[in-house]
Amino acid sequence: SAAVIWEIRIKQAIGKLILLDPGLSEVFAQSYPTMPVYVENQNNPDGSYYLISFVDGQTSWRPRSPVSVPQQQVNIVVLIDAETGQLKELSWVPEPVSYLQITPDIAVDLIYDYLVDQGYTDLDDSEFECRYIYRDLSPLYPEIQVETPFGVFYVNQQEIITT
């Protein structure tokens, strides 16, 4: 299954790093991966990637395979090249932290409220399309691009809306 393939890729990608860093090894052993998040690189179409966060297993239940959960209490974030499957970046902290709290659903709500404040009426948020993108901030904190009939908007993890 796809979950097993991702788990194997993750283990291969960070296996050597675990050997070099006992702290990472301990955190990795007590964490489990969430489902990968595809991020389109707007600066380089060949540079798109997947973010895989690892949820702290001490404060959460541990599933048998990656799951889609609200991004809370994350210890490790792995950035994997979307084309090659190679590790591009890894970041970890010894204590879990909140991560990617602004989800596509929250981004849609923020844009909807913004458009209402701008005087737009007859809004149908089912016409809004979202995707994670990387433009110019940290690749570990992608923005959410929201396409609407009224334009394209971007929401970052600080809830700042740009066009």
Side-chain angles (χ1 to χ4, degrees):
S1 79
V4 172
I5 291 170
W6 276 108
E7 190 169 341
I8 291 169
R9 282 190 175 170
I10 292 165
K11 287 180 180 178
Q12 289 174 340
I14 65 176
K16 292 176 185 165
L17 296 173
I18 287 173
L19 294 174
L20 298 173
D21 190 333
L24 173 59
S25 177
E26 184 178 326
V27 168
F28 182 71
Q30 297 178 15
S31 301
Y32 65 88
T34 61
M35 290 301 291
V37 173
Y38 180 77
V39 180
E40 180 182 315
N41 187 332
Q42 298 235 312
N43 302 321
N44 175 5
D46 294 331
S48 296
Y49 56 91
Y50 289 95
L51 283 175
I52 304 168
S53 56
F54 286 73
V55 179
D56 177 49
Q58 292 184 359
T59 59
S60 305
W61 59 277
R62 188 178 185 98
R64 294 176 191 229
S65 62
V67 293
S68 179
V69 297
Q71 303 291 345
Q72 296 181 12
Q73 303 309 307
V74 170
N75 288 82
I76 302 169
V77 178
V78 178
L79 204 141
I80 303 286
D81 186 282
E83 295 215 4
T84 67
Q86 298 297 310
L87 174 71
K88 292 176 77 168
E89 189 171 336
L90 180 142
S91 181
W92 75 278
V93 292
E95 295 299 321
V97 296
S98 295
Y99 181 66
L100 294 186
Q101 295 299 301
I102 305 303
T103 64
D105 288 340
I106 292 171
V108 164
D109 290 344
L110 291 168
I111 297 302
Y112 186 94
D113 292 345
Y114 171 80
L115 290 171
V116 168
D117 289 346
Q118 298 298 311
Y120 289 92
T121 58
D122 297 326
L123 297 174
D124 181 1
D125 63 5
S126 70
E127 296 177 348
F128 295 10
E129 292 185 28
C130 295
R131 64 181 176 205
Y132 284 97
I133 60 135
Y134 169 67
R135 292 191 302 169
D136 55 7
L137 301 173
S138 169
L140 294 173
Y141 292 94
E143 296 174 281
I144 299 171
Q145 177 181 300
V146 183
E147 294 181 20
T148 75
F150 310 102
V152 178
F153 301 89
Y154 302 90
V155 180
N156 69 18
Q157 289 298 308
Q158 290 77 40
E159 299 186 15
I160 297 172
I161 298 170
T162 58
T163 56

